[in-house]
């Protein structure tokens, strides 16, 4: 069964601190994994897209890692800012006959001053 | 460059009434998606268009939902009649092509409240 599970469900950190969000998936065959940021009241915005051959990809203060063997990904946020407060959603794309996007439920991050 | 445009941003209707949402994708994007997002959930794909052809509508409740993408550009999603459980945010997204690594660009969504 295609599943994407994210942890933690919610997280509160202080401004300037780092944090890491986790994503585990069972989607197979696998094509790529995406991380989206969704601000309240807005549509999701793509942060990174990684295929199975990519281990890490950065976008500014956001760094995503992928271990296709263990089917795990993480999103690391460095030197958090108040504007990082949002929901972070992991999305896995299947391949071949399983070519669909499976969305996780997201991690709600609150960055406090 | 303008992003994905959706209207209206908010809509409040009574149950059993019809409602329609409009989406204008990014210029040149052949693929258009409609998603429904419930509070605290990830988006759920309703329908995907490649140009004017609906290539994946397996999750679209066809008894009350319909969609069209005339001339392969703008798209309209309609619900008739609306039910209480249809209250959600309806997101439209577009991408350049069908490749699975293509980035999807989302509009701001239409928040529907059915009373």
């Amino acid at each position: 069964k295609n599943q994407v599970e994210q942890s933690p469900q919610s997280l509160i950190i202080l401004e300037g601190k780092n944090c890491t969000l986790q994503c585990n998936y069972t989607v197979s065959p696998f094509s790529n994994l995406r991380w989206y940021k969704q601000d309240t009241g807005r549509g999701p915005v793509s942060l990174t897209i990684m295929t199975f051959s990519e281990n890490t990809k950065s976008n500014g203060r956001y760094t995503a890692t992928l271990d296709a063997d263990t089917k795990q990904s993480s999103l690391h946020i460095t030197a958090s800012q108040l504007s990082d407060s949002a929901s972070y959603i992991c999305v896995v794309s299947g391949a071949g006959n399983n070519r669909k996007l499976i969305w996780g439920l997201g991690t709600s991050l609150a960055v406090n001053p | 460059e303008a992003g994905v445009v959706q209207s209206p941003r908010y809509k409040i209707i009574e149950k059993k009434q019809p409602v329609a949402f409009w989406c204008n994708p990014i210029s040149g994007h052949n693929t258009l998606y409609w998603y429904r997002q419930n509070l605290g959930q990830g988006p759920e794909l309703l329908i995907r268009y490649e140009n004017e052809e609906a290539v994946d509508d397996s999750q679209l409740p066809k008894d009350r939902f319909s969609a069209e993408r005339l001339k392969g550009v703008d798209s309209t999603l309609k619900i008739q009649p609306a039910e209480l459980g249809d209250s959600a945010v309806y997101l439209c997204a577009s991408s350049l092509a069908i490749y699975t690594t293509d980035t999807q660009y989302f509009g701001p969504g239409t928040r529907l409240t059915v009373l």
Side-chain angles (χ1 to χ4, degrees), chain A residues 31-32 34 36 38 41-46 49 51 89 93-94 99-101 103-106, chain B residues 9 33 35 37 40-43 48 50 91 98-104 106-109 111:
Chain A
S31 175
N32 61 80
R34 310 156 185 239
Y36 283 89
Q38 186 172 22
R42 294 180 176 272
V45 174
S46 179
I49 299 176
T51 63
I89 308 174
S93 176
R99 187 170 160 266
K100 58 176 64 178
L101 295 177
W103 292 71
L105 296 182
Chain B
R9 289 295 312 277
Y33 312 77
Y35 288 88
Q37 186 174 25
Q41 305 284 319
R48 175 168 65 93
E50 302 296 342
L91 294 164
I98 64 173
Y99 305 113
T100 56
T101 54
D102 270 4
T103 298
Q104 292 184 26
F106 284 82
R111 180 176 296 277

Side-chain angles (χ1 to χ4, degrees), chain A residues 67-89:
Chain A
D67 186 333
D69 291 330
T70 62
K71 295 183 170 56
Q72 296 179 325
S73 175
S74 66
L75 180 68
H76 186 75
I77 305 175
T78 304
S80 61
Q81 300 176 358
L82 298 179
S83 60
D84 292 332
S85 296
S87 179
Y88 292 84
I89 308 174

Side-chain angles (χ1 to χ4, degrees), chain B residues 70-87:
Chain B
L70 299 176
K71 301 181 180 179
V73 181
D74 295 359
S75 178
T76 303
L77 178 69
K78 298 179 181 178
I79 309 175
Q80 183 172 11
E83 298 179 351
L84 295 177
D86 295 332
S87 294

Side-chain angles (χ1 to χ4, degrees), chain B residues 38-84:
Chain B
N38 293 307
L39 190 64
Q41 305 284 319
E44 170 195 4
L45 179 68
L46 294 175
I47 190 168
R48 175 168 65 93
Y49 281 94
E50 302 296 342
N51 298 305
E52 63 270 17
E53 182 183 0
V55 296
D56 184 358
D57 63 355
S58 56
Q59 301 300 314
L60 189 72
K62 298 180 182 62
D63 57 337
R64 297 182 301 107
F65 286 64
S66 65
E68 61 182 9
R69 190 183 184 196
L70 299 176
K71 301 181 180 179
V73 181
D74 295 359
S75 178
T76 303
L77 178 69
K78 298 179 181 178
I79 309 175
Q80 183 172 11
E83 298 179 351
L84 295 177

